[in-house]
Amino acid sequence: ANHGAAASEEFPDADGAFCASVRGIVGADCVVGVCLDMHANLSPLVVQSTDVCVKASSWKCLKQCDE
């Protein structure tokens, strides 16, 4: 699952590059979706490369740190 806040020196839009790569592998006939967390960087390339973008309704990484 792609959470939408990847960082890379090689790819300024790492999430977009990832989604475009997946789309290139599976083709146009396969549904591609991402679940993004609260600090996701939603770029035009992510939107163009996927069919479904869902935002998580909570920030679970904060809850896990408290436990």
Side-chain angles (χ1 to χ4, degrees), residues 1-65:
N2 189 28
H3 79 293
S8 169
E9 291 182 9
E10 185 176 350
F11 301 101
D13 179 9
D15 293 302
F18 172 78
C19 292
S21 179
V22 169
R23 174 58 70 201
I25 292 167
V26 302
D29 293 332
C30 185
V31 175
V32 175
V34 290
C35 182
L36 307 171
D37 67 12
M38 302 281 284
H39 63 271
N41 301 307
L42 185 59
S43 72
L45 186 55
V46 171
V47 174
Q48 292 167 3
S49 302
T50 60
D51 300 296
V52 179
C53 293
V54 177
K55 180 194 75 68
S57 60
S58 65
W59 200 346
K60 293 195 179 227
C61 45
L62 284 181
K63 182 178 179 187
Q64 290 172 351
C65 290

